[in-house]
Amino acid sequence: MIIDPVTLIVALITVATPVLLAAIGELVVEKSGVLNLGVEGMMIMGAVCGFIVAHETGSVAMAFVAGMGGAMALALVFAVLTQVLMANQVASGLALTLFGLGLAALLGSGYSGLPVPVASRPFPEALQAIPVAGPILFSHSVLVYVAIALVGAVWFVLARTRAGLVIRAVGENHDAAHALGYKVVRIRFATILFGGACAGLGGAFLSVVRVQNWFDGMTAGAGWIALALVVFASWKAGRVLLGAWLFGGIAALQLRLQAAEVGVPVALLDASPYLVTIIVLVIISSDRRRAALNAPAALGRAFHAAS
Amino acid sequence: MIRLEKRPQPSRFWVVGAPVLAVLLTMIAGGIMFAALGKNPVEAIRIIFWDPLFSERFAGFSRPQLLVKAGPLILIAIGLSLGFRAGIWNIGAEGQYIVGALFGAAFGLAFWPSEHPLIFPGMIAAGLLGGFLWAMIPALLRVYARTNEILVSLLLVYVAEALLASAATGWLRNPEGSGFPGSRNLARNPGTDNPELIAGTGMHWGVLAAFVAVIAAYVIFSRHILGYQIRLAGEAPRAARFAGVNAGRLVILCLGASGALAGAAGLFEVAGPAGRISIDFNVGYGFTAIIVAFLGRLNPIGILLAGLLMALTFIGGELAQLMLGIPAAAIQAFQGMLLFFLLALDVLANYRFRWKREVAA
């Protein structure tokens, strides 16, 4: 057997983490009725800010903070455009991605190939040495566990708390939520910034922990896959985790198949994560009942208080 | 405090004024960005917007480049504007551009080294077909499986890039290229060349096609029932349904037309200015065209002007890179900024600002 299943699962969890973080953030944004197509731009801003700070300060924790900050700055621009100035959400999200890719390339020029500190792993060597379960469960860096915990937290907040109910109300019918006295714009600002922080964290994880390098366009569509995952998950937090692992599995597997030279065309392997994402998206959305069931009713619509 | 009040009709003045103001604000913000990079902002802006057209040293080379770069941008943006007006978001034009170029180049290379006069028209047809077929994937999936066309069309860009890499290093590689990636040079063979039609202008068949597309789009929007249906579907989808507009047909038409135009733009580029299929012959026209479409207010004449302006920033950006050492990415950020300002200023066209004193309840 050329491909060892244990290392594959370990790689899958690492590969899935940036997409998972970005997707869980976007889920909250969409639950509040806002479609932010700028995930790719925010992720790459997180990646470049995180990488620069990791290299300059030597602190991985600071890098994550910087990644979140950089992406949140972009998210703030999106929030002002769509919530205050009532700009089209699709166009604003695209602008965020185009601008983010350009700005990140500008900021990151000259940083490619520089060393960054290695992220610490929270569990002791003894646990990591356990056969099979050790590497799979205990060998990751802190943020991997944080990401999974975040999925649980988002599920809990959205499904079980008052704050979650308010966010969902705003996303289902902003006029009714407004009439009840909820500050629609303020709530959406908060969710957009949360989405930015998550995307930035995912980007910083990608550059600082997973790849440990910076190069132009390194997110390579991860932000778009995160957007697809939210649809795939029918706006349910738990399914985002499932989708991210499925994507991570394909991405990790195709890299190993390329290394093993099994005779499948390289182009097909390169394209496979995107193709699988499309296929899964098609399967989910063609089921008429399931697709429409959880989509927030006010998704993508501008809110302007009449009085 | 300031309140926004929706205008009953969009302001005619600001519909035209907002893009102009956005360009001015982008120049100012861009100047600040260049100053932050340690460059003289006034000089940088002059090099980007003035020197390519009017400086004696550079204009001779730069002026023809204006049409070379504006051609594909306008051609793609005109196609995109059809869908954007109807609320159909094809953001994968970059992928359709690549596949169109691959189809067209493959057709030309299949008859290599023939110089038959029908080969170039055949390549154009193949380019149109390639882009059309690539766009049909998101179109049919949206119509028959209700899949979001934004995500599918965008994800297909990455698939197209993988396809391009395999073509450049494999099935379209120049057999006499001693193993280097990249196809034969199409521009070196009279049969497959997309030549400069009037010497010194940069005008090639693709630029001509872009002008024709502008006129055709203008006629469609102002005179044809299809243009009416597109506008109706974009502004009032429910009303469009009652009026008997077939939404599925519109999706296929808009995506198909924009894909075919993007594919043709790719073919014209690969047979002319780029010359050959290489791993990175595509320089992001498909994405920049989105900015062009919005900057031109989805209006054919506006897109023509916006395409020329965006082409100018490309050429000026290259010049600034050469003269001031401003990184190429700065221009990309600059173009993104332009779209931000444009979207922000849209509020002026659709809303009125009103001063209103807070009344204590």
Side-chain angles (χ1 to χ4, degrees), chain A residues 4-306:
Chain A
D4 173 32
V6 173
T7 54
L8 182 69
I9 293 173
V10 173
L12 169 170
I13 293 172
T14 312
V15 172
T17 299
V19 186
L20 176 62
L21 280 164
I24 202 70
E26 178 67 14
L27 177 100
V28 176
V29 179
E30 291 193 13
K31 268 293 182 191
S32 76
V34 179
L35 180 65
N36 185 354
L37 292 180
V39 182
E40 178 85 1
M42 298 190 297
M43 270 187 101
I44 198 133
M45 273 299 283
V48 74
C49 293
F51 190 83
I52 290 172
V53 168
H55 174 75
E56 298 292 346
T57 66
S59 156
V60 175
M62 285 302 290
F64 290 149
V65 173
M68 284 197 281
M72 281 169 88
L74 265 195
L76 185 64
V77 174
F78 178 83
V80 171
L81 279 175
T82 59
Q83 302 308 307
V84 180
L85 299 174
M86 253 75 76
N88 180 314
Q89 293 183 8
V90 173
S92 305
L94 286 175
L96 213 58
T97 292
L98 294 173
F99 178 72
L101 288 170
L103 187 62
L106 184 60
L107 292 173
S109 59
Y111 277 93
S112 202
L114 295 179
V116 282
V118 176
S120 63
R121 290 149 199 263
F123 292 105
E125 290 286 335
L127 278 175
Q128 294 180 35
I130 302 170
V132 184
I136 293 177
L137 295 178
F138 303 116
S139 73
H140 302 286
S141 70
V142 185
L143 205 53
V144 171
Y145 305 103
V146 171
I148 294 169
L150 197 61
V151 174
V154 164
W155 169 79
F156 182 79
V157 169
L158 283 178
R160 292 282 184 274
T161 67
R162 187 179 169 77
L165 192 62
V166 173
I167 289 174
R168 284 189 288 141
V170 168
E172 292 299 334
N173 189 333
H174 46 220
D175 292 317
H178 174 70
L180 287 171
Y182 296 119
K183 306 284 186 197
V184 174
V185 171
R186 242 177 257 177
I187 291 161
R188 287 184 171 168
F189 253 82
T191 58
I192 291 168
L193 287 177
F194 175 77
C198 289
L201 205 54
F205 179 88
L206 181 69
S207 63
V208 178
V209 181
R210 197 191 135 204
V211 184
Q212 300 191 324
N213 196 356
W214 158 258
F215 50 90
D216 279 2
M218 72 178 299
T219 44
W224 294 102
I225 287 173
L227 277 159
L229 278 187
V230 178
V231 180
F232 163 79
S234 317
W235 292 269
K236 288 185 169 169
R239 290 201 199 143
V240 169
L241 185 63
L242 197 72
W245 281 348
L246 174 71
F247 162 77
I250 302 288
L253 184 64
Q254 69 93 2
L255 283 176
R256 273 160 183 70
L257 287 176
Q258 281 196 22
E261 293 182 24
V262 286
V264 184
V266 174
L268 187 63
L269 289 175
D270 274 338
S272 60
Y274 310 104
L275 286 173
V276 170
T277 307
I278 293 173
I279 291 167
V280 168
L281 211 51
V282 171
I283 294 169
I284 291 296
S285 33
S286 61
D287 183 344
R288 198 182 284 267
R289 280 166 303 135
R290 197 157 39 155
L293 201 60
N294 281 305
L299 187 60
R301 280 175 34 213
F303 171 72
H304 180 232

Side-chain angles (χ1 to χ4, degrees), chain B residues 25 40 96 149 156 213 216 230 235 241 248 255 261 289 310 316 334:
Chain B
L25 284 176
N40 180 347
Q96 294 138 21
E149 82 282 9
L156 282 173
I230 287 174
E235 277 160 38
R241 212 158 52 231
L255 274 168
L261 289 182
M310 272 325 224
F334 192 80

